Amino acid sequence: MTAPSETVRTIRLRVDGDREAQGPLTLGQANALQWISALTDDHFLGLVQWIFKVPAGTTLERACAALSALVRRYESLRTTYHDGPDGPVQRVARTVYLPIEIHQRPAQPDGTTLSRELIAQLRAHPFDLAKDLPLRLAVAAEGDLVHAVVAVYSHMAADYVSMTVLAERFTGLLTGTVTDGDAPPHQPLDRADRERSPKGLRQADAALRYWSGILRRRPRCVLPRPTTGVEPSTTPTPRSADLHSSRVAAALDRITARTGASRAMAVLAALAAVLALRTGQRHVALYSPAANRLGVPLRDYVGTVSQDGLISLDVDQPDYDALVRHAGTALLRANRNSVFDAEALQRAHDRIAHERGMPMVRDGVFNNISGNAPPDLPTVATTETFIDWWTPTGFTNLLLFHLVRTEQALILELITGDNRYLPDAEMEALLLGTERVLAVAATGNVALDDLGALAGIDPIPRDGDWHFVDHSWIQLSEVNRVLRAALPGPARAFVTDEGPEGATIVAHLAAGAEITDPARAHLACLRRLVDSPTAITPHRYVLHRDAPADPTDPQAWRELAVLAEGDGRATDAGSEAGT
């Protein structure tokens, strides 16, 4: 919808690049295409946007020329994606016609509102990756003077760092600090060739081994909470809370001076401590869009390099400072192992999920964008700590932490895709708990064993329904709910062999036409786990012809004849059937 005083026109500028070419996808492109293709009717996550900084006095002609220069220089902005005989391919066009929306609008004292309005219009529909240029541009001008320029990109064309590269070059072209004649940058087709070299293949294999090692010991859920009152049949509601704290910014000054670590590492360590203290799980695994632009060729690279890193944090360090150092090492290892074959990694996810009896979901995410904060970030107007609440769209993660700012004031955003499971009170407790940990750590190094009491962080209460199983806190009632939903006949899970290394879960069930052996029982249970973050599948299945009169009595089950028993993990569905 246009404003009453607005006129809109679209110009199309011819842009000629250096070459026309086609080749395989990069690993980053293949990863992005995999998850973008999985989006259904909500394309929110497949698009990213930027508000450019426009120097005063910029004319419409010069702004459009600078935008054209970006498309000429960076091949990812002239690329479409197609099916090839050996899989998807990227196709770079030498000549394109670049559409730019021109909005005649009066300049406003705060141009952010107008810029966001233009972005909302550009984001209204998804890109057709086989037909459309992967960017949309809008310029707002009053007469011939430009006062706002915005872009929306497909994630196939640009990740967050790519957008900063484009933004800096756009402003540099207008101020004269860079020229259009600079040496051409490393392009996605160049990167695809490098990734298929022997060195690139070794790097991808090493990343797969690194991920597999962590997936075999990560907890079932990053924040296992009681599921009482959570009805799986209802629709999850996303929720977002932004913590603003100038108190933490001052604390980070003291912590970084003492430890020599970055401000982001101090925050990551505090988050890990809060999660470990709340959950009682000493291993915290967080996915993180990785800083994997390693090497000079990628510094000016525009393309979707970003793939997940997997941060493995062992919160059994002696004190907070040691945890900060551990967090820095863990993040570095995650970044170094964040270039991988997405399809191979998915196969590893599926295999380990089958073996462990728990889905390998991306339930906890730490995303540090504080080094590339958006230009429209609001200035700090108060010294008081406060939390902004709002409702996002398109998010499915259980916990997603965005570290937006660490200078002047900490801005730490927490988004959940399921406000039923993670209510406002828990979100607030996590954010304010992180603030208190950093405030305590600013006074001096503190033993982790004392941190909970000093920072006022209470562990989640756990009654007799909770059991520590395979690095994870599990609710037996939730395991039994999964059995009831997954299996057509009577079934009951029991906990055995509880000890320091964790417990074992054994399920007794009545066999039927659909469930004739442990393998089929295991597959049926795995399919029902997605909406049960505090459940896993049993470690062993014991099949009987019928159920006892009291299915809650483990001894009554044990007295029945056994048709088949096993862990159900065998590839051959019938290989574990017994007499």
Side-chain angles (χ1 to χ4, degrees), residues 178-373:
V178 298
T179 68
D180 199 24
D182 291 353
H186 194 62
Q187 305 285 10
L189 285 171
D190 305 325
R191 180 159 179 80
D193 288 341
R194 188 264 176 208
E195 289 173 345
R196 282 159 178 77
S197 69
K199 181 179 179 180
L201 294 174
R202 287 194 301 272
Q203 182 181 17
D205 287 343
L208 194 60
R209 291 193 298 273
Y210 167 85
W211 276 74
S212 296
I214 298 173
L215 294 176
R216 292 188 184 281
R217 59 185 292 263
R218 58 156 284 183
R220 163 68 176 93
C221 178
V222 68
L223 186 67
R225 300 183 72 256
T227 56
T228 303
V230 177
E231 178 51 57
S233 62
T234 60
T235 302
T237 302
R239 187 74 158 143
S240 179
D242 296 356
L243 172 70
H244 297 249
S245 174
S246 56
R247 174 192 182 197
V248 166
L252 288 172
D253 290 338
R254 295 190 287 274
I255 293 170
T256 55
R258 183 180 74 239
T259 64
S262 71
R263 301 169 80 87
M265 288 310 92
V267 175
L268 176 59
L271 281 174
V274 170
L275 289 170
L277 289 166
R278 281 292 286 157
T279 65
Q281 295 176 162
R282 309 302 286 179
H283 182 222
V284 176
L286 295 173
Y287 293 74
S288 180
N292 54 6
R293 289 174 173 257
L294 305 176
V296 174
L298 293 180
R299 292 178 185 173
D300 188 30
Y301 179 85
V302 171
T304 182
V305 175
S306 181
Q307 293 181 267
D308 269 341
L310 185 56
I311 309 172
S312 178
L313 297 159
D314 290 308
V315 191
D316 55 1
Q317 310 300 316
D319 50 52
Y320 173 78
D321 287 6
L323 182 57
V324 172
R325 291 190 293 272
H326 172 68
T329 301
L331 183 61
L332 181 60
R333 291 191 67 205
N335 288 338
R336 286 178 172 171
N337 289 281
S338 61
V339 179
F340 49 77
D341 181 329
E343 291 185 357
L345 181 58
Q346 186 60 57
R347 289 192 295 272
H349 267 83
D350 294 344
R351 182 177 62 255
I352 295 170
H354 182 80
E355 293 169 357
R356 292 187 66 193
M358 62 179 75
M360 299 289 114
V361 295
R362 193 176 184 261
D363 58 350
V365 180
F366 176 74
N367 187 17
N368 175 27
I369 61 171
S370 61
N372 296 290

Side-chain angles (χ1 to χ4, degrees), residues 379-521:
T379 56
V380 179
T382 178
T383 59
E384 298 295 324
T385 295
F386 65 94
I387 296 177
D388 272 342
W389 296 90
W390 54 288
T391 301
T393 59
F395 288 92
T396 58
N397 308 98
L398 181 62
L399 285 175
L400 172 58
F401 291 101
H402 279 303
L403 182 57
V404 181
R405 171 186 274 166
T406 60
E407 304 282 353
Q408 298 181 317
L410 174 77
I411 301 181
L412 179 62
E413 178 183 31
L414 169 56
I415 301 176
T416 181
D418 193 347
N419 199 215
R420 307 165 308 167
Y421 182 80
L422 197 72
D424 289 0
E426 183 68 52
M427 297 176 72
E428 182 176 284
L430 293 174
L431 290 171
L432 295 181
T434 302
E435 181 191 42
R436 292 195 300 272
V437 165
L438 290 167
V440 168
T443 64
N445 193 15
V446 59
L448 285 188
D449 288 343
D450 301 330
L451 191 55
L454 292 172
I457 299 170
D458 298 320
I460 294 171
R462 305 203 188 279
D463 58 21
D465 188 35
W466 289 95
H467 303 271
F468 196 71
V469 183
D470 191 7
H471 307 283
S472 313
W473 278 109
I474 297 301
Q475 283 179 289
L476 185 60
S477 60
E478 277 296 289
V479 176
N480 277 306
R481 188 182 67 78
V482 168
L483 295 183
R484 290 193 299 272
L487 303 175
R492 192 77 180 185
F494 302 96
V495 172
T496 64
D497 305 326
E498 290 200 78
E501 300 302 317
T504 298
I505 298 177
V506 176
H508 290 267
L509 59 140
E514 298 176 21
I515 306 298
T516 58
D517 53 54
R520 289 184 175 88

Side-chain angles (χ1 to χ4, degrees), residues 39-56:
L39 299 176
T40 54
D41 58 341
D42 190 345
H43 61 276
F44 179 87
L45 295 177
L47 310 181
V48 289
Q49 70 264 349
W50 196 266
I51 300 173
F52 290 97
K53 181 179 179 182
V54 182

